[in-house]
Amino acid sequence: DEAIQKELKEIDSFDTYVPLHEQDLSDKEKKEALESLFLLTEKRDGRIKGRKVAVGSKQRIYDGYEKSDGSSPTVTTDGIFLTGVVDAHEGRDVACLDIGSAYLTAKNPDRVNMVLRGKLAEMMCRVNPKLYRPYTHTILRRRYIPMLYVRLSKALYGMLRAALLFYKKLRADLEDMDFVVNPYDPCVANKVIKGAQCTTIFW
């Protein structure tokens, strides 16, 4: 419960969901809305990590996305080895970092709707009742099940283009900081800072 609440609060803090009234959606839009899943993983230190994802398979069926439409570049093996050799030869300082909630930092320009059912809808309302409660409705399937339709304004994990949207944002941010992307590897970028070269590789 704690892991789920933490993940949902993070999603809410990034304004990922724009809630929708069920009556404002057409039957086609409801049918094409992505399903939502919550995945729980136990870390090696015993902590429970939660990850909220969209089931992007409907985007292939209804939107005609090909796999190549959403593929994001990643650093090549040669890129990793060659930058490692340069780092060692020049005695560079090396640091590794992880961008938390990376995909949620990228805006989603497409209109992609998703439906939260049952406990996920209830817990989203617990996180921000003022925003989501007015948009929640119930359907009868042996018992009453709460449902919440939302539009995804950010690149949520599971969307077919999520990785590509984040790549474009990260590359644009690096270029805004005067990094120059390597012409042979789109995930290697360089910038000269105080006379020394700074190289970043990302995947």
Side-chain angles (χ1 to χ4, degrees):
D1 220 43
E2 186 180 335
I4 293 172
Q5 285 291 311
K6 182 180 177 182
E7 175 75 358
L8 295 184
K9 284 178 182 177
E10 196 164 68
I11 286 172
D12 183 62
S13 70
F14 278 91
D15 298 323
T16 307
Y17 296 159
V18 178
L20 305 169
H21 283 297
E22 181 259 350
Q23 62 267 28
D24 293 338
L25 298 172
S26 66
D27 290 341
K28 182 175 183 290
E29 287 175 317
K30 293 176 192 175
K31 183 180 180 182
E32 294 179 0
L34 305 184
E35 296 293 332
S36 57
L37 285 178
F38 203 98
L39 308 177
L40 290 169
T41 307
E42 185 175 359
K43 298 289 190 178
R44 282 180 290 183
D45 61 4
R47 288 181 300 118
I48 302 297
K49 166 71 175 174
R51 174 59 54 81
K52 179 74 169 54
V53 301
V55 182
S57 55
K58 284 187 179 180
Q59 291 183 288
R60 285 203 181 97
I61 299 170
Y62 297 114
D63 297 335
Y65 280 13
E66 296 293 334
K67 188 174 182 180
S68 57
D69 295 335
S71 296
S72 172
T74 187
V75 66
T76 61
T77 303
D78 286 346
I80 294 173
F81 285 152
L82 290 171
T83 55
V85 169
V86 172
D87 293 340
H89 179 71
E90 297 184 359
R92 294 187 181 187
D93 292 326
V94 178
C96 298
L97 62 92
D98 174 58
I99 301 175
S101 304
Y103 286 6
L104 299 184
T105 64
K107 292 182 180 178
N108 173 33
D110 302 329
R111 184 174 178 84
V112 179
N113 297 333
M114 188 175 73
V115 59
L116 288 75
R117 304 176 189 270
K119 190 169 184 180
L120 276 179
E122 291 175 357
M123 296 189 81
M124 205 69 231
C125 288
R126 262 201 272 164
V127 166
N128 192 340
K130 187 176 180 181
L131 177 62
Y132 299 110
R133 185 72 66 190
Y135 295 87
T136 305
H137 67 287
T138 56
I139 60 170
L140 182 59
R141 294 285 188 274
R142 295 186 179 177
R143 60 186 178 86
Y144 285 101
I145 300 173
M147 294 181 65
L148 172 64
Y149 284 95
V150 296
R151 179 171 57 82
L152 299 177
S153 64
K154 300 293 177 67
L156 187 71
Y157 288 95
M159 285 173 47
L160 294 189
R161 295 185 65 220
L164 180 60
L165 291 171
F166 174 69
Y167 166 78
K168 288 180 176 179
K169 181 188 183 301
L170 179 58
R171 176 169 176 159
D173 288 346
L174 287 170
E175 289 175 333
D176 284 344
M177 292 186 284
D178 297 324
F179 277 87
V180 177
V181 176
N182 188 293
Y184 301 102
D185 191 324
C187 294
V188 177
N190 292 284
K191 176 182 178 180
V192 175
I193 302 173
K194 295 181 180 180
Q197 188 185 59
C198 174
T199 301
T200 179
I201 62 175
F202 47 96
W203 64 91

